[in-house]
Amino acid sequence: DGPVQGTTRTAVRPCQIGTVHITPGQKVVPLFAAANRDPAAFARADELVLDRTPNRHLGYGWGPHACIGTTVAQAGLRALIAALNDHPARLAAAGAGVRRRTATMRAFDTLPAALLP
């Protein structure tokens, strides 16, 4: 359930996606969340598999649209998971999360959590 759900791109040249012909200037809305759960690309596509390989997901963009903070974000996530694994308590939900209401970004305004013995 990555934060970026989709984006808009404008075609700069004629192309085809599947059976659909795209003309220059036409807008296309790629849905990253759907692509990241494509069972043709990922075994167990709807599961969180932290060590999935190969993992050509679109969570951090791709090519010229790749997120400049990818390396920092991935290092932060690795450090967080390592710290939680080494902590004697376990992480648990401490209430219902409240999602932000946006069209293309999925994020929480609040996500209560607690470390339990």
Side-chain angles (χ1 to χ4, degrees):
D1 189 17
V4 178
Q5 297 299 296
T7 191
T8 301
R9 295 289 183 254
T10 303
V12 296
R13 64 179 182 268
C15 62
Q16 186 172 331
I17 301 174
T19 60
V20 178
H21 295 280
I22 310 296
T23 59
Q26 190 172 4
K27 304 262 188 235
V28 177
V29 180
L31 299 175
F32 297 146
N36 287 337
R37 291 189 170 174
D38 180 355
F42 302 105
R44 299 172 22 221
D46 281 333
E47 292 181 29
L48 174 63
V49 181
L50 297 176
D51 59 352
R52 186 186 312 269
T53 57
N55 193 9
R56 293 178 49 95
H57 67 81
L58 301 174
Y60 294 106
W62 200 260
H65 300 287
C67 176
I68 195 168
T70 298
T71 304
V72 173
Q74 289 173 340
L77 287 171
R78 280 193 294 276
L80 173 64
I81 290 168
L84 288 171
N85 280 338
D86 291 341
H87 200 279
R90 67 178 178 84
L91 185 65
V98 177
R99 288 197 182 265
R100 291 184 182 159
R101 296 182 54 91
T102 63
T104 59
M105 291 292 291
R106 184 169 288 176
F108 286 92
D109 276 327
T110 59
L111 186 59
L115 289 172
L116 303 177

